[in-house]
Protein backbone atom coordinates (compact mmCIF):
# COMPACT_ATOMS: atom_id res chain seq x y z
CA UNK A 1 0.00 0.00 0.00
CA UNK A 2 1.28 3.45 -0.90
CA UNK A 3 -0.65 6.40 0.45
CA UNK A 4 0.25 9.45 -1.58
CA UNK A 5 -1.01 12.99 -1.06
CA UNK A 6 -0.57 15.57 -3.82
CA UNK A 7 -0.88 19.14 -2.55
CA UNK A 8 -2.88 21.38 -4.88
CA UNK A 9 -2.15 25.11 -4.78
CA UNK A 10 -4.05 27.71 -6.77
CA UNK A 11 -2.02 27.74 -9.98
CA UNK A 12 -0.67 24.19 -9.74
CA UNK A 13 -0.97 22.61 -13.19
CA UNK A 14 0.96 19.34 -12.98
CA UNK A 15 -1.03 18.02 -10.02
CA UNK A 16 -3.25 15.75 -12.09
CA UNK A 17 -0.32 14.57 -14.23
CA UNK A 18 1.58 13.39 -11.19
CA UNK A 19 -1.55 11.80 -9.68
CA UNK A 20 -2.16 9.79 -12.86
CA UNK A 21 1.52 8.84 -13.15
CA UNK A 22 1.68 7.57 -9.55
CA UNK A 23 -1.60 5.69 -9.85
CA UNK A 24 -0.55 3.98 -13.08
CA UNK A 25 2.97 3.18 -11.86
CA UNK A 26 2.11 2.00 -8.35
CA UNK A 27 -1.50 0.86 -8.71
CA UNK A 28 -2.52 2.77 -5.59
CA UNK A 29 -4.97 5.68 -5.49
CA UNK A 30 -3.67 9.19 -4.81
CA UNK A 31 -5.37 11.80 -2.60
CA UNK A 32 -5.51 15.41 -3.72
CA UNK A 33 -5.16 17.87 -0.81
CA UNK A 34 -6.20 21.51 -1.15
CA UNK A 35 -3.64 24.10 0.01
CA UNK A 36 -6.15 25.74 2.34
CA UNK A 37 -6.62 22.58 4.41
CA UNK A 38 -5.07 22.48 7.85
CA UNK A 39 -3.62 18.98 7.66
CA UNK A 40 -2.41 16.30 5.27
CA UNK A 41 -4.01 12.87 5.75
CA UNK A 42 -1.65 10.13 6.96
CA UNK A 43 0.65 9.62 3.98
CA UNK A 44 3.65 7.56 2.93
CA UNK A 45 4.53 10.18 0.35
CA UNK A 46 3.70 13.86 -0.10
CA UNK A 47 4.13 15.45 -3.53
CA UNK A 48 4.35 19.18 -4.24
CA UNK A 49 3.52 19.38 -7.95
CA UNK A 50 4.67 21.63 -10.76
CA UNK A 51 2.85 24.73 -11.88
CA UNK A 52 2.66 28.39 -11.07
CA UNK A 53 1.32 28.53 -7.53
CA UNK A 54 -0.16 31.96 -6.78
CA UNK A 55 0.89 33.06 -10.26
CA UNK A 56 4.54 33.14 -9.11
CA UNK A 57 3.70 36.42 -7.33
CA UNK A 58 6.51 37.97 -5.27
CA UNK A 59 8.90 35.03 -5.96
CA UNK A 60 8.06 31.62 -7.37
CA UNK A 61 7.00 29.35 -4.51
CA UNK A 62 7.09 32.13 -1.90
CA UNK A 63 3.35 32.45 -1.32
CA UNK A 64 2.69 28.69 -1.49
CA UNK A 65 5.40 28.11 1.12
CA UNK A 66 3.16 30.01 3.56
CA UNK A 67 -0.11 28.30 2.60
CA UNK A 68 -2.05 26.86 5.56
CA UNK A 69 -1.29 23.26 4.48
CA UNK A 70 2.46 23.86 4.49
CA UNK A 71 2.64 24.02 8.27
CA UNK A 72 1.62 20.35 8.38
CA UNK A 73 3.72 19.41 5.33
CA UNK A 74 6.78 20.87 7.08
CA UNK A 75 5.94 19.12 10.35
CA UNK A 76 5.41 15.77 8.61
CA UNK A 77 8.57 16.19 6.51
CA UNK A 78 10.59 16.91 9.64
CA UNK A 79 9.05 13.83 11.26
CA UNK A 80 10.26 11.69 8.35
CA UNK A 81 7.46 11.57 5.76
CA UNK A 82 9.11 11.54 2.32
CA UNK A 83 8.38 14.64 0.24
CA UNK A 84 8.93 15.06 -3.49
CA UNK A 85 8.88 18.57 -4.96
CA UNK A 86 8.81 18.79 -8.74
CA UNK A 87 9.55 22.08 -10.53
CA UNK A 88 7.35 24.62 -8.71
CA UNK A 89 7.29 22.06 -5.89
CA UNK A 90 11.09 22.33 -5.66
CA UNK A 91 10.78 26.12 -5.53
CA UNK A 92 8.21 25.77 -2.71
CA UNK A 93 10.50 23.40 -0.75
CA UNK A 94 13.32 25.97 -0.94
CA UNK A 95 11.07 28.87 0.06
CA UNK A 96 9.68 26.77 2.93
CA UNK A 97 13.19 26.08 4.20
CA UNK A 98 12.95 22.29 3.78
CA UNK A 99 15.77 22.45 1.22
CA UNK A 100 18.53 25.06 1.08
CA UNK A 101 19.11 27.61 -1.68
CA UNK A 102 16.75 29.22 -4.16
CA UNK A 103 15.66 28.86 -7.78
CA UNK A 104 16.35 32.07 -9.68
CA UNK A 105 15.35 33.29 -13.13
CA UNK A 106 17.05 31.26 -15.90
CA UNK A 107 20.30 32.88 -17.02
CA UNK A 108 18.83 33.15 -20.55
CA UNK A 109 15.66 34.80 -19.14
CA UNK A 110 13.72 32.35 -21.32
CA UNK A 111 11.13 29.78 -20.36
CA UNK A 112 12.73 26.49 -21.38
CA UNK A 113 10.55 23.51 -22.29
CA UNK A 114 12.48 20.53 -23.64
CA UNK A 115 13.97 17.17 -22.79
CA UNK A 116 17.30 17.30 -20.98
CA UNK A 117 19.79 14.66 -19.90
CA UNK A 118 20.45 14.20 -16.22
CA UNK A 119 23.29 12.37 -14.56
CA UNK A 120 22.17 10.47 -11.47
CA UNK A 121 24.74 11.48 -8.86
CA UNK A 122 23.23 9.73 -5.87
CA UNK A 123 21.36 6.45 -6.36
CA UNK A 124 21.06 5.69 -2.66
CA UNK A 125 18.21 8.03 -1.72
CA UNK A 126 14.59 7.16 -1.03
CA UNK A 127 13.62 8.39 -4.50
CA UNK A 128 16.57 7.18 -6.59
CA UNK A 129 17.54 3.68 -5.48
CA UNK A 130 16.10 2.11 -8.65
CA UNK A 131 18.59 4.10 -10.75
CA UNK A 132 22.29 3.34 -11.06
CA UNK A 133 24.92 5.76 -9.82
CA UNK A 134 26.20 7.67 -12.86
CA UNK A 135 23.25 6.61 -15.03
CA UNK A 136 22.15 9.18 -17.61
CA UNK A 137 18.40 9.66 -17.94
CA UNK A 138 16.24 11.83 -20.17
CA UNK A 139 13.48 13.86 -18.53
CA UNK A 140 11.77 17.09 -19.64
CA UNK A 141 12.17 20.48 -18.02
CA UNK A 142 9.61 23.29 -18.32
CA UNK A 143 10.50 26.35 -16.30
CA UNK A 144 11.62 29.97 -16.29
CA UNK A 145 13.09 29.82 -12.79
CA UNK A 146 15.37 26.81 -12.47
CA UNK A 147 18.67 28.56 -11.95
CA UNK A 148 19.75 27.00 -8.66
CA UNK A 149 21.69 29.32 -6.37
CA UNK A 150 23.10 28.94 -2.87
CA UNK A 151 26.04 30.50 -1.07
CA UNK A 152 29.45 28.82 -1.31
CA UNK A 153 29.19 27.21 2.14
CA UNK A 154 25.83 25.65 1.31
CA UNK A 155 27.04 24.35 -2.06
CA UNK A 156 30.11 22.88 -0.33
CA UNK A 157 27.92 21.18 2.27
CA UNK A 158 25.58 19.75 -0.39
CA UNK A 159 28.56 18.34 -2.30
CA UNK A 160 30.27 16.96 0.81
CA UNK A 161 27.09 15.27 2.01
CA UNK A 162 26.34 13.81 -1.44
CA UNK A 163 23.06 15.70 -1.61
CA UNK A 164 23.27 16.75 -5.26
CA UNK A 165 21.03 14.03 -6.70
CA UNK A 166 20.80 15.07 -10.38
CA UNK A 167 22.99 17.25 -12.60
CA UNK A 168 22.29 18.50 -16.12
CA UNK A 169 24.61 16.61 -18.45
CA UNK A 170 24.93 15.51 -22.06
CA UNK A 171 23.83 12.08 -23.30
CA UNK A 172 27.19 10.63 -22.25
CA UNK A 173 27.01 12.00 -18.72
CA UNK A 174 29.50 14.82 -19.23
CA UNK A 175 28.70 17.75 -16.97
CA UNK A 176 29.86 21.17 -18.18
CA UNK A 177 28.54 24.73 -18.46
CA UNK A 178 27.44 23.84 -22.01
CA UNK A 179 25.13 21.11 -20.70
CA UNK A 180 23.44 23.42 -18.19
CA UNK A 181 20.20 24.80 -19.66
CA UNK A 182 19.45 27.45 -17.05
CA UNK A 183 22.63 28.68 -15.36
CA UNK A 184 22.23 26.53 -12.23
CA UNK A 185 25.31 26.38 -10.01
CA UNK A 186 27.28 23.14 -10.49
CA UNK A 187 24.60 22.07 -13.03
CA UNK A 188 22.33 21.20 -10.11
CA UNK A 189 18.95 19.84 -11.26
CA UNK A 190 17.90 18.21 -7.99
CA UNK A 191 18.98 18.08 -4.35
CA UNK A 192 17.85 16.16 -1.30
CA UNK A 193 17.73 16.57 2.47
CA UNK A 194 20.49 15.10 4.65
CA UNK A 195 18.51 11.87 5.10
CA UNK A 196 17.57 11.67 1.40
CA UNK A 197 13.84 11.66 2.12
CA UNK A 198 13.05 15.13 0.78
CA UNK A 199 13.86 15.55 -2.92
CA UNK A 200 13.47 18.72 -4.96
CA UNK A 201 14.03 18.59 -8.70
CA UNK A 202 13.30 20.92 -11.59
CA UNK A 203 12.77 18.20 -14.27
CA UNK A 204 9.39 16.47 -14.56
CA UNK A 205 9.65 12.69 -14.06
CA UNK A 206 5.86 12.37 -14.21
CA UNK A 207 5.94 13.45 -17.85
CA UNK A 208 8.03 10.50 -19.03
CA UNK A 209 6.76 7.38 -17.31
CA UNK A 210 5.45 5.30 -20.22
CA UNK A 211 6.49 4.74 -23.83
CA UNK A 212 3.42 6.50 -25.21
CA UNK A 213 4.86 9.69 -23.68
CA UNK A 214 8.23 9.19 -25.37
CA UNK A 215 10.18 7.51 -22.60
CA UNK A 216 10.11 5.81 -19.22
CA UNK A 217 13.12 7.31 -17.46
CA UNK A 218 10.92 9.18 -14.99
CA UNK A 219 9.15 6.14 -13.55
CA UNK A 220 12.01 4.96 -11.39
CA UNK A 221 11.53 7.95 -9.08
CA UNK A 222 8.15 6.54 -8.11
CA UNK A 223 9.27 2.90 -8.25
CA UNK A 224 12.12 3.82 -5.93
CA UNK A 225 9.61 5.26 -3.45
CA UNK A 226 7.62 2.00 -3.51
CA UNK A 227 10.77 -0.12 -3.07
CA UNK A 228 12.08 2.12 -0.28
CA UNK A 229 8.79 1.93 1.60
CA UNK A 230 8.57 -1.84 1.19
CA UNK A 231 12.13 -2.20 2.50
CA UNK A 232 11.26 -0.10 5.55
CA UNK A 233 8.05 -2.02 6.31
CA UNK B 1 2.04 54.73 9.07
CA UNK B 2 3.49 53.51 5.83
CA UNK B 3 6.54 51.31 5.22
CA UNK B 4 8.47 51.85 2.02
CA UNK B 5 10.41 48.66 1.46
CA UNK B 6 13.19 48.14 -1.05
CA UNK B 7 14.37 44.65 -1.96
CA UNK B 8 17.60 44.31 -3.90
CA UNK B 9 19.77 41.42 -5.00
CA UNK B 10 22.86 40.82 -2.92
CA UNK B 11 26.23 41.70 -4.37
CA UNK B 12 27.62 38.80 -6.34
CA UNK B 13 24.19 37.36 -7.20
CA UNK B 14 23.81 37.37 -10.96
CA UNK B 15 20.97 39.53 -12.21
CA UNK B 16 20.02 38.43 -15.73
CA UNK B 17 17.05 40.82 -15.78
CA UNK B 18 19.34 43.72 -14.92
CA UNK B 19 21.67 42.65 -17.73
CA UNK B 20 18.75 42.53 -20.18
CA UNK B 21 17.67 46.04 -19.12
CA UNK B 22 21.25 47.25 -19.55
CA UNK B 23 21.29 45.75 -23.05
CA UNK B 24 17.97 47.41 -23.92
CA UNK B 25 19.20 50.80 -22.68
CA UNK B 26 22.27 50.40 -24.90
CA UNK B 27 20.06 49.51 -27.85
CA UNK B 28 18.05 52.69 -27.24
CA UNK B 29 21.21 54.74 -27.56
CA UNK B 30 21.94 55.42 -23.89
CA UNK B 31 25.70 55.12 -23.78
CA UNK B 32 27.83 54.76 -20.68
CA UNK B 33 25.45 52.54 -18.70
CA UNK B 34 28.03 50.53 -16.77
CA UNK B 35 25.67 48.24 -14.89
CA UNK B 36 21.99 47.76 -14.07
CA UNK B 37 20.64 45.94 -11.01
CA UNK B 38 16.87 45.61 -10.61
CA UNK B 39 14.80 44.92 -7.54
CA UNK B 40 11.39 45.42 -5.94
CA UNK B 41 9.66 48.27 -4.17
CA UNK B 42 6.78 47.46 -1.84
CA UNK B 43 4.57 49.88 0.11
CA UNK B 44 2.77 48.53 3.17
CA UNK B 45 0.16 50.66 4.96
CA UNK B 46 0.20 49.92 8.69
CA UNK B 47 -2.43 50.61 11.33
CA UNK B 48 0.33 50.64 13.95
CA UNK B 49 1.19 54.15 15.19
CA UNK B 50 4.11 53.22 17.44
CA UNK B 51 7.32 53.44 15.44
CA UNK B 52 9.25 50.79 17.36
CA UNK B 53 6.42 48.29 17.05
CA UNK B 54 5.95 49.09 13.36
CA UNK B 55 9.66 48.60 12.77
CA UNK B 56 9.57 45.25 14.50
CA UNK B 57 6.61 44.13 12.38
CA UNK B 58 8.15 45.28 9.08
CA UNK B 59 11.41 43.55 9.97
CA UNK B 60 9.56 40.27 10.44
CA UNK B 61 7.51 40.78 7.25
CA UNK B 62 10.73 41.19 5.29
CA UNK B 63 12.42 38.16 6.82
CA UNK B 64 9.39 35.85 6.69
CA UNK B 65 8.00 36.65 3.26
CA UNK B 66 8.94 39.79 1.37
CA UNK B 67 12.64 39.06 0.86
CA UNK B 68 14.50 35.80 0.36
CA UNK B 69 17.64 36.50 2.32
CA UNK B 70 19.55 33.77 0.46
CA UNK B 71 19.79 36.15 -2.49
CA UNK B 72 18.18 39.44 -1.44
CA UNK B 73 18.80 42.36 0.90
CA UNK B 74 16.03 44.56 2.19
CA UNK B 75 15.84 48.06 3.55
CA UNK B 76 12.89 50.21 4.52
CA UNK B 77 11.79 53.54 5.84
CA UNK B 78 8.72 54.36 7.86
CA UNK B 79 6.74 57.45 6.96
CA UNK B 80 3.68 58.78 8.73
Amino acid sequence: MLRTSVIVFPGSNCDRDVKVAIERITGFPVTMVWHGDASVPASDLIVLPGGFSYGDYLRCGAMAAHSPIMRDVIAKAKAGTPVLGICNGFQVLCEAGLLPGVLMRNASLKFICRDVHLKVENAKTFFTQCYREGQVIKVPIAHAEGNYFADADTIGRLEDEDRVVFRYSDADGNVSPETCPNGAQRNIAGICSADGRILGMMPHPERLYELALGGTDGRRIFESAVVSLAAAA
Amino acid sequence: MKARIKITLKNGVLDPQGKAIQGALGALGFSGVDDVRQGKYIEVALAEMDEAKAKDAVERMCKDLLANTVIENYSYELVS
Side-chain angles (χ1 to χ4, degrees):
Chain A
M1 184 66 190
L2 177 76
R3 297 166 302 172
T4 305
S5 293
V6 173
I7 312 297
V8 184
F9 299 100
S12 294
N13 66 4
C14 303
D15 44 330
R16 193 172 171 279
D17 286 18
V18 78
K19 170 187 161 79
V20 170
I22 292 172
E23 289 183 342
R24 297 237 177 118
I25 293 166
T26 70
F28 296 115
V30 169
T31 306
M32 307 302 269
V33 180
W34 183 236
H35 78 113
D37 290 358
S39 67
V40 184
S43 303
D44 304 308
L45 171 63
I46 297 173
V47 179
L48 305 182
F52 300 84
S53 56
Y54 292 87
D56 281 349
Y57 289 177
L58 193 63
R59 295 178 306 278
C60 47
M63 313 293 274
H66 296 280
S67 270
I69 196 70
M70 285 305 293
R71 207 167 292 178
D72 195 40
V73 170
I74 292 167
K76 286 195 161 69
K78 286 185 172 165
T81 302
V83 180
L84 171 63
I86 301 168
C87 197
N88 188 224
F90 184 13
Q91 295 161 347
V92 174
L93 285 174
C94 288
E95 283 284 346
L98 286 172
L99 290 174
V102 60
L103 283 313
M104 296 180 51
R105 182 68 61 93
N106 292 343
S108 65
L109 291 174
K110 292 193 168 77
F111 186 95
I112 307 170
C113 183
R114 64 175 168 88
D115 289 348
V116 295
H117 289 101
L118 302 177
K119 186 179 180 191
V120 180
E121 296 280 21
N122 183 342
K124 294 185 199 76
T125 77
F126 182 90
F127 291 104
T128 55
Q129 64 159 299
C130 291
Y131 293 109
R132 288 188 322 276
E133 199 107 349
Q135 185 179 350
V136 178
I137 61 173
K138 192 180 75 175
V139 183
I141 55 170
H143 62 247
E145 276 103 358
N147 182 352
Y148 184 79
F149 179 90
D151 62 43
D153 287 351
T154 304
I155 294 283
R157 202 174 70 240
L158 289 172
E159 297 279 12
D160 291 348
E161 295 175 357
D162 212 11
R163 289 168 57 187
V164 177
V165 180
F166 299 111
R167 274 186 234 271
Y168 301 107
S169 72
D170 65 14
D172 298 318
N174 298 306
V175 174
S176 70
E178 289 73 40
T179 66
C180 188
N182 52 23
Q185 284 183 320
R186 308 280 182 101
N187 284 42
I188 289 172
I191 57 169
C192 66
S193 56
D195 64 3
R197 292 171 76 82
I198 304 173
L199 172 65
M201 61 189 296
M202 289 312 298
H204 287 272
E206 80 281 14
R207 293 193 189 177
L208 272 191
Y209 72 91
E210 62 180 23
L211 285 173
L213 298 171
T216 59
D217 282 357
R219 10 179 350 117
R220 295 202 189 285
I221 295 275
F222 307 102
E223 289 171 348
S224 295
V226 173
V227 170
S228 298
L229 280 168
Chain B
M1 194 172 293
K2 195 177 273 181
R4 294 176 170 162
I5 304 164
K6 276 187 213 161
I7 295 162
T8 52
L9 284 171
K10 286 183 174 172
N11 286 336
V13 175
L14 286 175
D15 182 4
Q17 294 181 85
K19 285 275 172 253
I21 295 165
Q22 186 183 351
L25 289 173
L28 284 170
F30 293 100
S31 59
V33 178
D34 291 336
D35 194 21
V36 175
R37 306 276 287 170
Q38 52 81 48
K40 294 190 188 88
Y41 173 75
I42 300 172
E43 270 189 5
V44 179
L46 299 161
E48 182 61 65
M49 298 305 286
D50 181 273
E51 188 160 335
K53 282 182 189 159
K55 206 173 153 186
D56 182 57
V58 172
E59 191 73 32
R60 282 186 290 119
M61 287 176 199
C62 289
K63 282 202 178 104
D64 291 352
L65 179 65
L66 301 180
N68 182 328
T69 54
V70 175
I71 49 167
E72 293 170 331
N73 290 321
Y74 60 84
S75 62
Y76 55 88
E77 57 173 352
L78 296 171
V79 290
S80 42

